[in-house]
Amino acid sequence: MKLLHRQIFKELFSIFSLSLSGFMGLILIGRLLQFRDLFMGQSLGALEMGKLFLYLCPFFLLVLTPIATMLAIFLTFLRMNSDNEITALKSGGLSLYKLLPAPIIFCILCTCADVFFSLYGLSWGTEHFRDALMEFARTRSQLAIQPGVFNRDFPGLVFYAENVDKEDGMMHSVFVRDSTRKTMTATIVAPQGEIRTDSIRGRLMVHLENGRIYQQNKDQLSVLKFKNYDVRIPLGNLLKGYSVDDPRPKEMAWEKLVRISRGGDRAGDLDQKFLRKVHVEIQKRLALPVACLVLGMFAMPIACIFRGLKQQYGLVISMGLFLVYYTMLSLGITLGESGTLSPLIGLWTPNIIFAFFSILLLKMAVMENSFRIRIPFLKKKSREAA
């Protein structure tokens, strides 16, 4: 039995790794096309692009791990069923219940991995992704502000620095003309300044010290002295429209989501729509890891029940079943964010339904109630070839 479970587990792991890497490759290629303007605008190298993709991986792994788990178990037991290995094991006195330890342990391991992605990996990747983008934008801005040149790359802003230190990026004798406001134009003069980033709020700014602001409002001119003043640089041009503003609930750390849901982190200042999204995100990060166990145990009896089914058609069936699950989950997310349905009910109903049917189908498989799949078109074609 140990040898049998070891072989099943080895096959599960190999198909899981192949499926997960294939899905990740397709998604990352899609993201590469989506961010092509950003990468080209920032002139990023292969190493920087690789880091950004690494930071995005936990976000995708949270969703892809359940489907890869389901696909691995489905294809493994479908192959065993097609090769009559399950029939041979049954003739030797082994029931399907004795084959459960390997897939159960495998599902539990996948669930634990998905819990890690949900609670820790996602926030780690999102935080580093934002920091990397902000650092790229800051470096690009430092390169854009050349000494002795008026820079007009940013709409409504004109920057000039007499000298720029190449080592620390400190600018000397800085002149800024800010016409981003419709009713007022400000001219800012400071002896020194530097470009700073605020990764938490997603802001890039020119920090000026000990200068003056000349504000012109129609025919009036006012002069203000300041010790510290920040001119915000619009990131739309630098990041090609990619938003790095305040994190959305799906980008927040687990601890922050829990604090907001309990009334902390100034939850009273947030609107109800945002709070509903926070509650939905909490349930989503709990329900998806459990889906690894539910969908995995749902796939095993399905593979044993259907006979005469080739693996390519099994792949289509498993993808279709996961599409049904994900459609139900998406519906629960939509209803939860709109306030129509409780997030607890909307996001856990798919798991409960699939868990119920997995128990029912497992009993059918043990009782050897099966469905034989026949495809008339292929059958007719094979007869003509004969």
Side-chain angles (χ1 to χ4, degrees):
M1 290 300 297
K2 291 183 179 180
L3 179 61
L4 175 63
H5 292 314
R6 190 181 302 118
Q7 291 299 119
I8 294 176
F9 192 89
K10 187 184 299 184
E11 187 170 353
L12 289 172
F13 182 77
S14 61
I15 297 178
F16 174 83
S17 303
L18 182 62
S19 303
L20 194 61
S21 58
F23 289 136
M24 284 295 298
L26 292 175
I27 289 182
L28 292 180
I29 290 175
R31 285 289 179 172
L32 177 62
L33 297 176
Q34 181 182 357
F35 292 151
R36 64 184 183 276
D37 294 334
L38 171 63
F39 295 150
M40 294 176 64
Q42 291 289 327
S43 300
L44 300 181
L47 181 60
E48 289 79 7
M49 292 172 57
K51 287 183 179 179
L52 290 178
F53 284 140
L54 177 64
Y55 299 147
L56 289 174
C57 283
F59 182 80
F60 302 126
L61 288 173
L62 177 63
V63 180
L64 292 179
T65 302
I67 184 175
T69 304
M70 179 181 183
L71 194 60
I73 293 180
F74 187 85
L75 293 181
T76 297
F77 282 89
L78 181 63
R79 185 204 60 78
M80 293 176 64
N81 195 21
S82 301
D83 295 344
N84 294 322
E85 292 183 7
I86 294 181
T87 303
L89 292 173
K90 288 182 178 179
S91 63
L94 294 178
S95 65
L96 284 180
Y97 291 129
K98 294 186 178 181
L99 300 180
L100 287 177
I104 288 178
I105 294 175
F106 181 77
C107 289
I108 292 176
L109 292 177
C110 293
T111 300
C112 294
D114 214 28
V115 168
F116 176 79
F117 298 143
S118 176
L119 302 186
Y120 305 104
L122 193 149
S123 59
W124 171 85
T126 301
E127 180 181 352
H128 283 78
F129 184 80
R130 289 166 56 88
D131 291 344
L133 285 184
M134 295 297 298
E135 181 62 24
F136 295 150
R138 186 183 68 84
T139 305
R140 176 75 184 278
S141 300
Q142 286 181 344
L143 295 176
I145 301 178
Q146 298 294 330
V149 177
F150 285 91
N151 181 277
R152 296 181 174 87
D153 292 342
F154 311 106
L157 295 174
V158 178
F159 290 96
Y160 174 86
E162 185 175 349
N163 295 307
V164 179
D165 194 336
K166 295 182 179 179
E167 294 183 358
D168 56 7
M170 186 66 68
M171 300 177 292
H172 302 279
S173 300
V174 184
F175 168 87
V176 180
R177 184 175 177 83
D178 185 359
S179 57
T180 56
R181 303 177 184 179
K182 296 182 180 180
T183 60
M184 181 180 62
T185 301
T187 301
I188 308 159
V189 180
Q192 64 180 8
E194 62 177 338
I195 296 178
R196 294 183 178 181
T197 58
D198 185 359
S199 58
I200 298 177
R201 297 182 178 180
R203 295 179 179 178
L204 182 68
M205 61 198 73
V206 177
H207 179 74
L208 304 174
E209 298 179 356
N210 302 320
R212 294 184 179 184
I213 303 176
Y214 299 88
Q215 295 180 346
Q216 182 179 357
N217 188 1
K218 296 181 180 180
D219 296 333
Q220 297 180 354
L221 180 66
S222 59
V223 182
L224 301 175
K225 293 183 179 181
F226 63 85
K227 185 176 181 180
N228 296 286
Y229 187 80
D230 294 327
V231 179
R232 184 174 178 180
I233 299 177
L235 294 177
N237 286 13
L238 289 174
L239 301 181
K240 302 301 179 182
Y242 186 84
S243 176
V244 288
D245 294 334
D246 294 335
R248 294 167 291 180
K250 65 179 181 180
E251 300 173 348
M252 291 181 179
W254 172 257
E255 293 80 5
K256 187 172 183 178
L257 289 173
V258 173
R259 287 198 303 268
I260 294 176
S261 66
R262 293 178 178 177
D265 281 0
R266 297 183 301 175
D269 300 335
L270 303 174
D271 58 2
Q272 292 298 319
K273 184 177 180 181
F274 187 87
L275 291 176
R276 287 196 297 266
K277 288 184 178 180
V278 169
H279 291 291
V280 168
E281 183 64 24
I282 290 176
Q283 298 302 325
K284 176 184 174 183
R285 295 197 191 183
L286 294 175
L288 279 176
V290 177
C292 295
L293 180 62
V294 173
L295 294 179
M297 300 315 299
F298 177 81
M300 178 185 173
I302 286 288
C304 297
I305 286 176
F306 288 101
R307 293 181 179 272
L309 187 64
K310 296 183 179 180
Q311 287 194 349
Q312 58 267 30
Y313 302 114
L315 178 63
V316 174
I317 290 179
S318 60
M319 294 294 291
L321 292 173
F322 182 79
L323 182 61
V324 172
Y325 173 85
Y326 196 75
T327 302
M328 297 173 62
L329 185 69
S330 301
L331 181 61
I333 292 175
T334 302
L335 295 177
E337 291 181 349
S338 63
T340 307
L341 188 66
S342 171
L344 183 65
I345 299 176
L347 276 82
W348 285 95
T349 298
N351 284 343
I352 295 174
I353 292 176
F354 273 74
F356 171 76
F357 278 103
S358 64
I359 297 174
L360 183 63
L361 292 172
L362 181 60
K363 291 182 178 180
M364 291 179 59
V366 171
M367 297 174 61
E368 299 186 357
N369 294 330
S370 61
F371 300 100
R372 185 173 295 275
I373 301 298
R374 296 180 180 180
I375 303 177
F377 174 75
L378 294 178
K379 186 175 181 181
K380 181 179 180 181
K381 188 175 181 179
S382 61
R383 287 180 178 177
E384 292 178 354

